[in-house]
Every structure is written in C-alpha cells, then in structure tokens.
Amino acid sequence: MEGLLLPLLLMLVLAVPLIMGTRKQKKAAAQQQELQSSLAPGDRVMTTSGLYATVADATDESTIDLEIADGVVTTWLRQAIRERIDPAAADDVEDEDSADEDTADESATATSDADSDSESVTTAQVAEPLEHKK
C-alpha cells in the first residue's frame, strides 16, 4: 500500500494544474465566443491585429463588416475581433492626444517667435542640378 502512495501523490500533483489550466482556457474561449456573437452595429472594436474600427454590419454568422474610416468598410472573420472598446475610454485617449497636439503647437509657436527675434538668419544652400550626358 505504501508503495502506491508516492506514485498516486505524484500523479495528483501533476494532474491538478493541468485540469485547472484547461478550465481557464474553456472559460476564456466561452467569453470570446459570447463577445463575438453579441456584436452589434455601432460597437467600437479592436481586431487581433490591433486595428480599431466600428461595426457596420453584423448579420452574417461567420463574417463582420467593420468601418475603419469614414466610408471605408472592410469584411473580417468574426474570430478576428479581439475585444470591444469602451467608448468612454476611447474618448479619454482622444482627449489626451488633442492635449499633446496643443502643447506641441504652443512650443512650435514659441520657437518660431524666438527665431524671428534673432538678427542673424541663415539660409540653406542648394546645389545646382547635375547635368546628365545623353
């Protein structure tokens, strides 16, 4: 009996993590399947390749039409949809980008003002074009 205890214990130690990992994979697959089947026109999504788009048509079972720019609609497999993007989070990202652009515009204006104040202005010299022999 004692000779069987060690092999049984070893099998149990190896089997439990495998079973738990399999359950986690099944749960993730079920969540992904539910996401892909619940998409509706107007939803903001990200594909597995990192493309952000808006769902234009979701009537087909295997494919989905995504609008990637105004008037540009492409057809993708539903499995290519990685996640639904929260509209509030997307607005926050856009607000940060516009704030960065405003800061860059202000610094460019300050630089151009400093350049106009300096008396010495340098000009670029351009070489004459080469003549090719025929």
Side-chain angles (χ1 to χ4, degrees), residues 42-83:
D43 287 344
R44 247 344 239 161
V45 295
M46 182 177 76
T47 64
T48 54
S49 59
L51 179 77
Y52 290 89
T54 304
V55 176
D57 183 25
T59 56
D60 191 17
E61 288 182 17
S62 62
T63 62
I64 190 165
D65 290 340
L66 300 179
E67 184 175 17
I68 57 176
D70 290 336
V72 180
V73 178
T74 57
T75 303
W76 294 69
L77 287 174
R78 280 189 182 263
Q79 288 81 10
I81 304 302
R82 180 176 187 174
E83 62 185 270

Side-chain angles (χ1 to χ4, degrees), residues 5-115:
L5 184 61
L6 185 61
L8 288 175
L9 187 60
L10 183 61
M11 287 176 48
L12 184 66
V13 168
L14 293 175
V16 169
L18 290 174
I19 293 170
M20 297 302 282
T22 304
R23 289 184 63 207
K24 191 182 288 188
Q25 283 180 341
K26 284 182 182 179
K27 185 183 278 190
Q31 285 178 338
Q32 191 69 16
Q33 182 67 30
E34 197 245 307
L35 165 76
Q36 291 168 358
S37 64
S38 70
L39 292 173
D43 287 344
R44 247 344 239 161
V45 295
M46 182 177 76
T47 64
T48 54
S49 59
L51 179 77
Y52 290 89
T54 304
V55 176
D57 183 25
T59 56
D60 191 17
E61 288 182 17
S62 62
T63 62
I64 190 165
D65 290 340
L66 300 179
E67 184 175 17
I68 57 176
D70 290 336
V72 180
V73 178
T74 57
T75 303
W76 294 69
L77 287 174
R78 280 189 182 263
Q79 288 81 10
I81 304 302
R82 180 176 187 174
E83 62 185 270
R84 181 180 289 134
I85 304 298
D86 183 24
D91 290 341
D92 292 342
V93 171
E94 290 175 8
D95 291 342
E96 290 174 7
D97 290 344
S98 64
D100 291 342
E101 290 173 2
D102 293 341
T103 306
D105 291 341
E106 290 172 3
S107 63
T109 304
T111 304
S112 64
D113 290 342
D115 289 343

Side-chain angles (χ1 to χ4, degrees), residues 118-132:
S118 64
E119 294 179 17
S120 64
V121 177
T122 58
T123 58
Q125 295 180 355
V126 179
E128 293 192 24
L130 298 173
E131 292 182 24
H132 296 285

